Amino acid sequence: MNKKTLYITLFSPLFCLICWCLFLTCQRQNGTDLTLPIMGYDPRDLLSGHYIQYQIDWDKVDCTQFPKSSCPKQDFCKEARWGKQCRFYIPEKDANELNQLFLNRNSNNLNFEVVYSYQSGKKAIAKQLLINEQDWKNFLGK
């Protein structure tokens, strides 16, 4: 194998990764920011690895913020057996504290929301987790 073929073989995955990251960054920055309320779908498995799993609480969403005043539910999250599954990635060291806050959100009067970058017809990208309208890191004092 000559050096040119070796370099192409070694650097093509890196090139593809960089292109994909640039595409997602552009999509995130060019989208409209929407804040949507969330609820847990299964308290027994709310935290799985490095992410919080949740569902969007569409009953509380103001659908007039979307084009044609209708909620495009198909553009948010991915399909799972039990409905739409959404994920927000967090550091593992904060998982237990966030889990306790989320499980006790009703008794502690906490409101959880996720800010999405949304472009019509494309999958929305979760940008930020909010607790009582504050970034979750600020709320935890991090």
Side-chain angles (χ1 to χ4, degrees):
M1 185 182 302
N2 64 24
K3 285 187 177 187
K4 187 176 181 179
T5 307
L6 179 63
Y7 287 136
I8 290 172
T9 304
L10 289 175
F11 289 109
S12 350
L14 180 62
F15 178 73
C16 291
L17 178 64
I18 290 170
C19 290
W20 181 55
C21 288
L22 288 173
F23 170 76
L24 289 177
T25 300
C26 289
Q27 184 179 353
R28 181 179 176 189
Q29 290 179 344
N30 293 331
T32 303
D33 284 354
L34 301 172
T35 303
L36 302 176
I38 63 171
M39 61 183 173
Y41 76 89
D42 184 0
R44 291 169 291 149
D45 190 26
L46 178 64
L47 285 169
S48 182
H50 297 279
Y51 52 86
I52 294 177
Q53 296 185 65
Y54 60 90
Q55 288 181 330
I56 296 172
D57 193 353
W58 290 106
D59 295 334
K60 295 180 182 177
V61 172
D62 175 20
C63 291
T64 61
Q65 61 187 327
F66 295 101
K68 301 178 186 173
S69 295
S70 66
C71 290
K73 297 177 184 179
Q74 71 281 0
D75 292 343
F76 290 84
C77 310
K78 68 177 190 175
E79 197 65 41
R81 288 183 300 244
W82 52 86
K84 291 282 190 175
Q85 176 189 356
C86 310
R87 294 180 176 178
F88 188 85
Y89 292 87
I90 57 167
E92 189 173 12
K93 63 183 172 68
D94 300 317
N96 288 334
E97 192 171 1
L98 278 173
N99 186 35
Q100 288 305 313
L101 285 173
F102 199 85
L103 291 175
N104 298 319
R105 68 189 180 280
N106 292 333
S107 60
N108 293 335
N109 223 10
L110 297 176
N111 184 23
F112 282 75
E113 300 171 311
V114 173
V115 177
Y116 281 93
S117 176
Y118 175 71
Q119 292 178 347
S120 185
K122 296 182 180 177
K123 285 288 181 197
I125 299 173
K127 292 175 65 173
Q128 187 178 24
L129 175 65
L130 302 177
I131 304 173
N132 288 350
E133 298 181 2
Q134 291 182 40
D135 182 59
W136 70 271
K137 292 176 188 173
N138 294 339
F139 188 85
L140 297 179
K142 307 274 179 194

